[in-house]
Amino acid sequence: MTQAECAALEEVVEADSYPDTFAVPQGTAGEKSSANFAIPAASLVLAACGGEGTEGSSIASVLAPTVQVAKPATDGEAARFILKASLAATEPEIADIRSVGYVAWLDKQMDIPISQTGVDWLSSRGYDQVTVDEFYFRDNLADNMVWNQLITSPDPVRKRLAYALSQFFVVSTNGIEIEWRSNAMAAYWDVLNRNALGNFRQLLEDVTLNPAMGVYLSTLDNKKEDSRTGRVPDENYAREVMQLFTLGLNELNNDGTKKIGSTGQPIETYTNADVSNLARVFTGYSYDYANLVRTPSIRFPSQKIAPVESVIRRMTSDPTRWERAQTVSQHSMLEKTFLGTTIPANTDAPTSMKLALDTLFNHPNVGPFFSKQMIQRLVTSNPSAGYVDRVARIFNNNGSGVRGDLRAVFKAILLDDEATNATGLTSPTFGKVREPVLRFTQWARNFGATSQSGNWTINNTSNAAFSLGQSPLRAPSVFNFYRPGYVPPNTAIATNTLVAPEFQIVNEVSVVGYINFMASAIGSANGLNNDVKATYTRELAIVSDTTALLNRLSLLLSGNQLSDSTKATIKAALDATTVTDTSSLADKQRRVYLATLLVFASPDYLVQK
C-alpha cells in the first residue's frame, strides 16, 4: 500500500468512536457488561501498514401472525437486518423491508426459487465436456462456479444460508482429487442450496450420499470387514458425522451448555464402540455408473475419462450399478449397536442408513449444537444461552410437530430479539467479525460487478499473503476455516471465556493480503484477473458530494455502523483532492475507489453488529 493510503487508514482507526476493541456478547439481550471483553480491532487495519497486530425473549414467536407488523424504524435498522440474512443490502430492499416488515420480507426472499444450479452453470460453459481443455482435471472451475452463485444469484438469502451450511457440513475442493472435481463440488453446493430451507434430516441424508462427501470422508468404496485380512470399515465419516455434523463431543442442554455428569465432568456423547459400529453402516457405497461409460481423452485416447454424471448422482449401494458391476454387496451385515440403537444383523444398506440417520437426527444434541453454530455464522459469536434455547426449541418443533424445519430455524435465528435489538449496536459484547468471503461478495453485489468473459475467473482466494485468506468451499480441513470455539490466545476474550471464531484466520499477513487484494479489486482498470470489474454507477453520480457518498456507503455496507468521527476522517482524506461534477472520469473514479477501500478497511465495518 502507498504511504498516503496507510495514513488514511490509520486516521480511520484513530477516529473510530467505538472502544479500540472487537467484542462479543454474553448473557441475555439487554444485559450490560461490566467490562469490554475484546481484542484490538485496530490491528485489523494497522497491521496492513506495518503496525503492531494482536491477536430475552424473541422479537415474537416466529409463528405468531402479529410478528408480520414488526418493521425496521430506520434505514440503518433495515440494512443491518438484511446484512445478517443476505449477502448485500440495496436501497430497493431497504425500502421494501421498511414497508412490509421483517417476516414478510424474509418470507419473500426465502420463496425465491433457485434460478440456476451450480452443475447447470458449469454445463452452460461447456465444462462438463471431454475436450482438449481437459476440464475434468481442473479445480478452479468450482471456485468460479461458487463465486458466480454468491455474486449473481437472485436468491441471496438462500445463498447466504447455503454458505453457512458449507461451513458446518464441510467438504473442501482441496480434498477432492478426482476427475470432474469441480463438477462434484458443484453438485455438493447444490445439495446445500436445495436443502437450505428444507429439513435437516433430508439434508443429512443428501450430504451423506453425495460423492464429493464420499471421497472427502472416505465412505465411497468403504468396504465391509474381512476377517481373513483383518480389514475393518473406515471410521472417518462415522466419527465426523457425530462430532461435527450432528452431536458434538459432549451432551448438551437445550440452551447449548454442557451437561455435567456425576464426576463433575462433561458427559461424552459417544464412545469408540459407537464409532466402530456406526462405521459399518457407511459401507458398500460407490459411484452410480448405471448406463454410463468412460470416454476416451482427446489428447491421449488410450486414457478413459469417467462420466461426469458419476460425480453428480447419489452414491449407490446396489453393486450391479457400480462401474465394475458385482452381485455381492460390500455392506457389512453384522449387527450395528450405537447411541442406544441396535440395527439387527443382516440388515441391508439402505435400511441401515435410514435407521442410523434417524437415530442421529433425533438425538437431543442436534438442535442446540446446530443452532448455536448457525447463530455464530449469521449473527454473533457468543449468543446467550437463552438465544440458543429459543432457536433449538424451534429446531425440535416448528410449532406444527415438525423437527428439523430449517426455514423455521433460520427465521428464528434472524428474527430473535437478540439479533434485532438496537442495543447490540452499542453493546461492547455483541457482534462478530465479517469474514473475508462475505466482504468480497458484498463489494461485488453492491457495486455492480460483472464478468467480462462470463466465466467469473476469480479463482482460489485462499492465499493469505496475496488474497482474501479464505475461499468458499476450500476450508483447509473438515473443521472449517475456524473452529466455533476458537479463542484468540493472550487476550481479554480468553480471560473472559469468550470465543471469536473468525479471528483464527486473522493475523498481520492476512490483514495485509486482504487490504491489498481489495485495493486491486476495487480500483482495477481491467478488472480482477482481467475479468471481474465493478461499475460504481450510483457512487460516481454523487462523487462530488463526499458527505452523500459516505452516507450511502455507510448505510449499504455497514447498516450505518460508521461513526461520525470515522466518516469525518474519511471525508477529510477524500476532500484533500478536489473533485467536481466537471472533473475527469479518472479523478472521480479515484475518489470512489479510495472511499470504498477506506470503508472496507475500517473497524466500524469489519465488526458486524
Side-chain angles (χ1 to χ4, degrees), residues 34 81 325 377 387 457 461 488:
S34 60
F81 180 85
R377 298 277 56 78
Y387 189 1
T457 51
T461 56

Side-chain angles (χ1 to χ4, degrees), residues 384-398:
S384 70
Y387 189 1
V388 175
D389 180 63
R390 292 189 292 272
V391 176
R393 287 177 185 274
I394 295 297
F395 183 98
N396 299 337
N397 184 343
N398 69 352

